Amino acid sequence: MTDGTFPTAKCLISKILDDFPIKTICAFFQKSWQYMDAYRKSLNARQAEFVMKKYKSHHRCGHAVMMSIGVLLN
């Protein structure tokens, strides 16, 4: 396993990344970017979750989705 040192972590991370398909890693990072975009636009957690369910665009929250978020504003 691990002994808590950086060299061991470097060795383990390469082995772990080899076990995951690149498609899974890309999907994780794309979803992360989408959440960061929602939070950058001052959405709270509930609104960000709503936007993520409606997300159809790549790399940004679409204008139509942002306009429909008014139902969550109180």
Side-chain angles (χ1 to χ4, degrees):
M1 283 308 263
T2 182
D3 58 4
T5 63
F6 186 72
T8 304
K10 276 178 60 174
C11 180
L12 286 175
I13 196 70
S14 64
K15 291 177 184 176
I16 291 169
L17 288 176
D18 288 340
D19 290 343
F20 284 96
I22 192 75
K23 196 172 189 176
T24 302
I25 295 169
C26 289
F28 170 79
F29 278 102
Q30 181 176 353
K31 188 65 108 173
S32 297
W33 277 108
Q34 292 170 345
Y35 271 101
M36 287 190 293
D37 186 40
Y39 291 131
R40 193 177 305 118
K41 293 180 178 170
S42 300
L43 301 180
N44 63 30
R46 183 174 169 216
Q47 293 165 337
E49 194 63 37
F50 173 79
V51 169
M52 291 303 105
K53 288 180 183 177
K54 299 290 184 179
Y55 225 104
K56 300 297 179 201
S57 177
H58 297 285
H59 309 296
R60 63 184 183 85
C61 294
H63 181 70
V65 174
M66 291 299 292
M67 295 304 291
S68 69
I69 204 152
V71 298
L72 296 175
L73 294 177
N74 287 342

